[in-house]
Amino acid sequence: MLRVSKLADYAVVVLVKLAADTDCLDCAVQTSPSLACSTGVPEPTVAKVLKALSVAGLVLSQRGARGGYRLQRKLEDISIAEVIAAIDGPIALTACVDGASGCDVRGLCAVHGRWDLVNDAIRNALTGITLADMREAGTPVFLRTLTPAE
Amino acid sequence: MLRVSKLADYAVVVLVKLAADTDCLDCAVQTSPSLACSTGVPEPTVAKVLKALSVAGLVLSQRGARGGYRLQRKLEDISIAEVIAAIDGPIALTACVDGASGCDVRGLCAVHGRWDLVNDAIRNALTGITLADMREAGTPVFLRTLTPAE
DNA sequence: TGAAACTGGACCGCTTGGGTCCGGTTAACC
DNA sequence: GGTTAACCGGACCCAAGCGGTCCAGTTTCA
């Protein structure tokens, strides 16, 4: 299904939320419990996401009392590709990308190493979209008549 | 990891192989056992892939003795997006795409409905690549300047 | 010194993809 | 007309990975 993990989805939500309340980067930090509350994502999950974003250099963490997280860069400077890579690892569609690991039928494979083409296309597409683009839809907080269509 | 399923990977391999031996569409069909042999993919798996490709209209199946499969269109007319959609279902990165099903925190979600942007970008990227492009790898053609965007 | 918050790791259940198997149906061939 | 070869359409099982949780440790502020 070519899906992105839920964690990556949460990461985008959390990052946008993180920017929404602290439009200046040096303002007060936000804690993971508060982010969990404002996003509706369970707190331990938020913590896990923030941790991954921290090691990836997308957010800054501040330990101790009055600690928390804040954005390290502006939303405009963070691409979706970076977020996905931070959470789910490098963007690689198949196992046999650049011959990394055991493609046991490589000798027979008619498209060996050609997924790189697809990978690059996807990567370029994701790099071209920033978190700021994602936020645009969210700002009208009365978001589109919540039709619980089911 | 934004991965594509192995089945979709196999599908591409099988389709390219299917075209390699029958460059004219009306030639003899190929059976799933023979495709399994020439691609190295287990036969039941090949059969499953071919079945899915058949219902998607990418290959034609011929039942009975001397039956088998053949391409319904040329490789140049089949995009990677179609193959992935045939195997893994519609290309949708997250569950909440176009509000399909239960995003239980939709009211809080700051990027509600914005993944469509990413989905479209991915879909366009995948639609622009055909199976013929994938096949080119068989010959040592360095037809691109594959600049990894990172 | 205690409380608040991040850090790092382990852990677990569930979903889902990958793979297999079997009976049924169709069509060519003898 | 019977046999055989191949697809068809399920059901089924196993393992890996993901989502989610928990806990002990560390850091910092009041």
Side-chain angles (χ1 to χ4, degrees):
Chain A
M1 243 160 286
L2 204 138
R3 71 163 52 136
V4 120
S5 70
K6 270 191 182 180
L7 275 303
D9 191 358
Y10 293 159
V12 172
V13 175
V14 167
L15 285 170
V16 169
K17 198 72 185 178
L18 204 52
D21 295 349
T22 67
D23 43 357
C24 83
L25 290 180
D26 295 331
C27 287
V29 299
Q30 290 190 65
T31 68
S32 59
S34 72
L35 282 169
C37 179
S38 59
T39 59
V41 179
E43 194 270 330
T45 302
V46 172
K48 175 186 282 190
V49 166
L50 284 170
K51 195 192 310 179
L53 294 177
S54 176
V55 302
L58 296 183
V59 301
L60 278 176
S61 66
Q62 186 167 342
R63 303 182 64 160
R66 302 292 306 267
Y69 294 96
R70 68 171 186 271
L71 286 181
Q72 190 156 8
R73 281 180 278 161
K74 288 178 171 294
L75 286 189
E76 291 79 12
D77 299 329
I78 302 177
S79 70
I80 294 294
E82 285 181 278
V83 178
I84 293 177
I87 301 294
D88 296 331
I91 295 174
L93 284 179
T94 62
C96 72
V97 169
D98 65 18
S101 61
C103 179
D104 50 351
V105 295
R106 183 183 303 173
L108 297 165
C109 182
V111 295
H112 169 245
R114 210 49 184 176
W115 280 101
D116 297 346
L117 194 67
V118 182
N119 272 303
D120 291 339
I122 300 254
R123 204 173 298 149
N124 288 336
L126 291 180
T127 306
I129 302 178
T130 71
L131 287 181
D133 297 326
M134 301 288 284
R135 183 185 45 185
E136 296 307 314
T139 34
V141 185
F142 38 86
L143 27 87
R144 56 189 72 189
T145 62
L146 290 179
T147 53
E150 273 181 327
Chain B
M1 243 160 288
L2 205 139
R3 72 163 52 137
V4 121
S5 72
K6 271 191 183 178
L7 275 302
D9 192 357
Y10 294 159
V12 172
V13 175
V14 167
L15 284 171
V16 169
K17 197 73 184 176
L18 204 51
D21 295 348
T22 66
D23 44 356
C24 82
L25 290 181
D26 295 331
C27 288
V29 298
Q30 290 190 65
T31 68
S32 58
S34 72
L35 283 170
C37 179
S38 58
T39 59
V41 180
E43 194 271 329
T45 302
V46 172
K48 176 186 281 190
V49 167
L50 284 171
K51 195 194 310 180
L53 294 177
S54 176
V55 303
L58 297 183
V59 301
L60 278 176
S61 66
Q62 186 167 343
R63 303 184 63 163
R66 301 293 305 268
Y69 293 95
R70 68 170 184 270
L71 285 181
Q72 190 156 8
R73 281 181 277 162
K74 287 177 171 296
L75 287 189
E76 292 79 11
D77 299 330
I78 302 178
S79 71
I80 294 294
E82 283 180 280
V83 178
I84 293 177
I87 300 294
D88 296 330
I91 296 174
L93 284 179
T94 62
C96 72
V97 168
D98 65 18
S101 62
C103 179
D104 50 350
V105 294
R106 184 185 302 174
L108 298 164
C109 181
V111 295
H112 167 57
R114 208 49 182 178
W115 280 100
D116 297 346
L117 194 67
V118 182
N119 272 304
D120 291 341
I122 300 252
R123 204 171 298 148
N124 288 336
L126 292 180
T127 306
I129 301 178
T130 71
L131 287 181
D133 297 325
M134 300 289 282
R135 183 184 46 185
E136 297 304 316
T139 62
V141 177
F142 26 87
L143 45 88
R144 282 173 78 93
T145 55
L146 290 182
T147 53
E150 266 180 340

